[in-house]
């Protein structure tokens, strides 16, 4: 893995034919330290957002020793990198084989579920283990999120009461988890979700050992500047403190996006220009999935030798595959004289970027280069308190 100062150096010096991820371990470490210093509980990194080993190592080096996973492949990945990491298997629908392997071979003890069926499955696959932390995934509104995660998973309150009572009988620790949706733009969404789960817990009359507020913490994108991250933590913290059922209850969160979005950007090359349409070598079947499928506005700029003052124009991008859907409407504001062979840097692509690559049409190649500049946009202001010894953590 090469090491360059910034994306302009990479483009100018190497003229890459394939997309290049500019990776910033320092940005990931900063995000991890921020959560360690500011979140008043335990932070589990949601591996699905970006499972790159360099990123996992950077987060771990900065103190993240707990990981939220969705699949047995993610369990194996984390266990292979960090022998002592705590792993929470929070996908509410798992295969029996995945549960059994996670429990018996990888010491996973934390499992999420949202149905009696899944509870039966977990108990059968672990031979009725008595050392499980079982987390009910509670349905909550995702209205303040740019990406809803409410359609597929989550027990409604009327389903959750009896399930929680049953879980309490078999769990060593009982948890309630929710997800307010990815890229949630309002701290009140977390408060509202805690209100809802608190009512269910009270109705069920159970003692809960863990409240897991999930992920959803936002990153900054053009036209999508969230309120300060600090205000999300303050809102969660204040509401948690007044929870009726919170005595001796642990507080967890599972950020994915917020811990990795700023940690990479992407260099793409313009292979054709037709008017205001630029044909580039990465697209919606690659790391730019959200730019096409969700019309997500990523920051973009020209980098490399041709970089210079020019009038700005609004462009749309097309990716490299032969599919019409491989289209990113933007608009991406770039120099008007942009031409074939120019390089663009697309920023804040660390979350759900490299993780979404498919290799469709054979466009699978890419490189990774460590760069030293900061992210194009950030939510981590330098004024936020950091723990003095955040780097002095043990490796698993
Ligand atoms: C269970 C669970 N936890 C955490 C996350 C991470 O969410 P985000 O990247 O929005 O923080 C997800 C995302 O899908 C999830 O499904």
């Amino acid at each position: 893995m090469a090491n360059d100062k910034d994306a302009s150096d990479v483009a100018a010096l190497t003229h890459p034919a394939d997309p290049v991820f500019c990776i910033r371990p320092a940005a990931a470490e900063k995000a991890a330290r921020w959560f360690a210093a500011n979140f008043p509980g335990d932070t589990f990194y949601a591996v699905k957002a970006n499972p790159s080993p360099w990123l996992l190592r950077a987060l771990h080096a900065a103190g993240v020793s707990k990981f939220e996973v969705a699949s047995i492949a993610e369990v194996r990945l984390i266990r292979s990198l960090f022998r002592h990491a705590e792993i929470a298997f929070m996908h509410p629908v798992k295969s029996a084989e995945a549960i059994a392997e996670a429990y018996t071979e990888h010491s996973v003890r934390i499992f999420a579920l949202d149905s009696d069926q899944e509870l039966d499955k977990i108990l059968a696959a672990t031979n009725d283990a008595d050392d499980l932390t079982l987390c009910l995934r509670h349905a909550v509104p995702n209205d303040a999120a740019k990406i809803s995660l409410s359609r597929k998973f989550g027990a409604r309150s009327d389903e959750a009461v009896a399930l929680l009572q049953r879980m309490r009988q078999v769990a060593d620790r009982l948890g309630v988890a929710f997800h307010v949706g990815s890229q949630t733009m309002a701290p009140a969404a977390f408060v509202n979700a805690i209100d809802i789960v608190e009512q269910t817990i009270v109705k069920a009359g159970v003692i809960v050992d863990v409240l897991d507020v999930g992920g959803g913490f936002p990153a900054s994108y053009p036209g999508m500047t969230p309120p300060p991250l600090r205000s999300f933590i303050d809102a969660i913290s204040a509401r948690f403190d007044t929870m009726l059922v919170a005595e001796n209850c642990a507080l967890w969160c599972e950020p994915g996006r917020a811990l990795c979005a700023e940690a990479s950007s992407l260099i793409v090359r313009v292979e054709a220009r037709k008017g205001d349409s630029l044909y580039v070598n990465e697209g919606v079947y690659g790391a730019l999935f959200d730019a096409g499928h969700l019309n997500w506005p990523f920051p973009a700029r020209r980098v490399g030798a041709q970089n210079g003052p020019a009038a700005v124009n609004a462009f749309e991008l097309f990716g490299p595959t032969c599919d019409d859907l491989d289209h990113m409407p933007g608009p991406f504001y770039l120099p008007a004289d942009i031409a074939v062979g120019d390089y663009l840097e697309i920023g804040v692509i660390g979350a759900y970027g490299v993780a979404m690559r498919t290799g469709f049409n054979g466009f699978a190649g890419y490189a990774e280069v460590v760069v030293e500049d900061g992210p194009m946009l950030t939510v981590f202001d330098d004024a936020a308190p950091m723990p003095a010894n955040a780097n002095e953590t043990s490796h698993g």
Side-chain angles (χ1 to χ4, degrees), residues 46 48-49 68 90 137 149 179 181-183 214-217 254-258 352:
K48 61 180 76 70
E68 184 275 325
M90 300 304 272
R137 168 80 172 258
L149 296 171
H179 201 302
S182 204
Q183 186 71 5
F217 300 93
E254 306 168 12
R257 179 184 304 283
Y352 308 102

Side-chain angles (χ1 to χ4, degrees), residues 49 71 83 139 163 175 192 220 237 251 253 279 296 330 332 351 384:
S71 64
R83 207 151 42 93
L163 186 51
N192 184 34
S220 194
S237 196
L251 180 65
C253 68
Y279 292 66
W296 203 267
F332 297 90

Side-chain angles (χ1 to χ4, degrees), residues 140-141 143 187-197 239:
V140 296
D143 307 343
F190 285 91
V191 175
N192 184 34
I194 298 174
D195 289 347
I196 291 170
V197 306
R239 184 62 188 83

Side-chain angles (χ1 to χ4, degrees), residues 30-41 43 62-64 259 385-387 390:
K30 184 174 184 180
R33 286 198 301 273
W34 192 92
F35 267 87
N38 291 284
F39 186 75
T43 300
V64 175
L259 284 177
M386 293 282 180

